[in-house]
Amino acid sequence: AANLGLVHLHTGQHASAFHYLSASINLKPDYAATYCHLAVALTRLEDPDNAVAAYEKAIELDPGDGLTLLNYSAALLNMGRTSESRRIFQDFREVVAGLASDERSALMETCASLQVQLAKVHDAK
């Protein structure tokens, strides 16, 4: 179910992604990445309160997941919640500082890709 949720998320079918990701959470409620993906879907469905709750759950389950922290920071910034975004971004920086060189490089490549995707979304608005 999680994989189908990701497919729908990446094809812009956010409502379908929400349903598959929710089903995946019901099957495996301790998998942090699925909560992060659900939060992205909820953000795109313009449901910020539930997106924040999903990000918080993802962080509760895996506080060291840099991608979740980065996505959450970006989402908060886009919601106009600047001070919260700064706090989460600082958590992200602390996680990155603790990574091995190769892990840090891989995460930074993902960050660069995310930045390109965010720019496309911003330009589309």
Side-chain angles (χ1 to χ4, degrees):
N3 288 338
L4 286 172
L6 287 174
V7 168
H8 284 92
L9 188 61
H10 289 288
T11 59
Q13 299 174 0
H14 305 120
S16 294
F18 167 80
H19 289 291
Y20 282 106
L21 293 167
S22 295
S24 179
I25 286 170
N26 285 331
L27 294 171
K28 190 171 183 185
D30 58 346
Y31 190 57
T34 306
Y35 285 95
C36 179
H37 297 135
L38 178 65
V40 171
L42 289 164
T43 299
R44 293 183 179 164
L45 289 168
E46 299 180 10
D47 187 352
D49 294 335
N50 285 316
V52 166
Y55 278 121
E56 291 288 337
K57 182 64 176 182
I59 292 168
E60 175 189 320
L61 292 170
D62 186 0
D65 182 2
L67 287 176
T68 296
L69 292 167
L70 185 61
N71 276 308
Y72 188 22
S73 178
L76 288 168
L77 187 62
N78 287 330
M79 291 175 200
R81 297 166 70 167
T82 309
S83 62
E84 292 170 272
S85 175
R86 278 192 202 114
R87 180 181 55 80
I88 297 299
F89 189 72
Q90 183 57 39
D91 293 346
F92 165 75
R93 290 178 61 163
E94 290 172 12
V95 166
V96 170
L99 294 176
S101 168
D102 58 333
E103 293 173 314
R104 189 177 315 120
S105 295
L107 185 58
M108 296 317 288
E109 286 177 27
T110 303
C111 291
S113 174
L114 178 61
Q115 186 175 16
V116 169
Q117 291 176 7
L118 287 171
K120 287 179 184 177
V121 169
H122 184 267
D123 291 344
K125 289 182 180 180

